[in-house]
Every structure is written in structure tokens, then in C-alpha cells.
Amino acid sequence: MAIPKNQGRQEVIAASVVLKYDEITDDTGADEAAISVPAGARVVGGNVTIDTVFNSTTSDVLTCGDATDPNRYLATPADLTSATASYPLDGVLNKVYPVKTDITVAWTAGATGTATQGEAVLTVMYVEDGRSAFAQD
């Protein structure tokens, strides 16, 4: 018996959010919802790009995951003090979410409440299981 081919195709969907130091409500490592993905979403990639370094002290790091595993998508936390750095989402990819789910971030500052700058962009790329935008033979 041959593998049944799926002729349905879809583009990868990208969702992005700007993470500004003065809009993240907690700099002590607490998870905050950053991007919602729909039921059936399978995260296939993404990245965190530092546009303006965070300057609380010598240590500012960001993790990215979900409520079950707050470090799911960054195997190593992103160093927010690295100018114009980009960190791929390289943790456990291909997780399928059966219900609408928030992708979370957590910023841990070296000295809480002292940052005066910092901006990063989180981009999450996903496909939706069962979705078909067009067909291809």
C-alpha cells in the first residue's frame, strides 16, 4: 500500500511582537503571554532579534516557551545585552497545540527595575494542521 499523498498546501504563518523593556510587566523571570497561536498550530521556527540592548546591568536574558515548558523554544536563553543579535527558536519545535495557546517570554534582569532601554522582536512561525490554502498535484 502506498503512502497517500496530501495535495493540500499552506504557507508558513509568521506572528511577531515587539518586546520593549517598559512594556514587559515583570523583569524577574515571570512568564508573560506574547503571541497567541490557534488550535492546531505546529510551531516550526522563529527567532528573537535584539534591536536595542537591554541595560539593567551586565545580565539580561529572555526565555521563550509556553505554560507547560517556559524554555521550550530557546535551548539557551537569549542574551539581551548583545547588540543586534538574533537567536533562532531552536528548542523543541513541532509541538502541536490542541487548543489556542499563548507563546510566552520571560525577561530576567540582572538588577530588577533598573533598565532604561531595551527592545527585541519575537517572531514565531507556525503551520496549522489540517489547513489547506491551495492544492498542488
Side-chain angles (χ1 to χ4, degrees):
M1 181 176 194
I3 297 171
K5 295 179 182 174
N6 179 353
Q7 294 179 336
R9 302 290 187 262
Q10 66 174 290
E11 298 84 1
V12 174
I13 301 164
S16 294
V17 64
V18 176
L19 306 168
K20 296 181 181 180
Y21 83 98
D22 58 349
E23 294 176 350
I24 300 174
T25 59
D26 189 309
D27 65 358
T28 64
D31 289 334
E32 293 189 49
I35 291 175
S36 292
V37 294
R42 176 187 304 270
V43 175
V44 296
N47 65 355
V48 174
T49 301
I50 314 306
D51 289 338
T52 304
V53 297
F54 286 62
N55 68 344
S56 71
T57 57
T58 58
S59 172
D60 285 286
V61 295
L62 186 82
T63 59
C64 180
D66 57 34
T68 304
D69 183 354
N71 301 308
R72 181 180 306 279
Y73 295 119
L74 284 173
T76 302
D79 179 358
L80 299 175
T81 64
S82 297
T84 63
S86 185
Y87 297 87
L89 299 189
D90 60 355
V92 182
L93 299 176
N94 288 312
K95 161 104 175 121
V96 178
Y97 292 102
V99 297
K100 180 180 174 183
T101 301
D102 287 331
I103 304 302
T104 61
V105 295
W107 169 29
T108 303
T112 62
T114 62
T116 60
Q117 69 176 31
E119 185 173 300
V121 176
L122 168 65
T123 301
V124 174
M125 297 184 301
Y126 64 94
V127 295
E128 292 181 54
D129 282 357
R131 178 177 180 262
S132 180
F134 59 94
Q136 179 178 334
D137 289 335

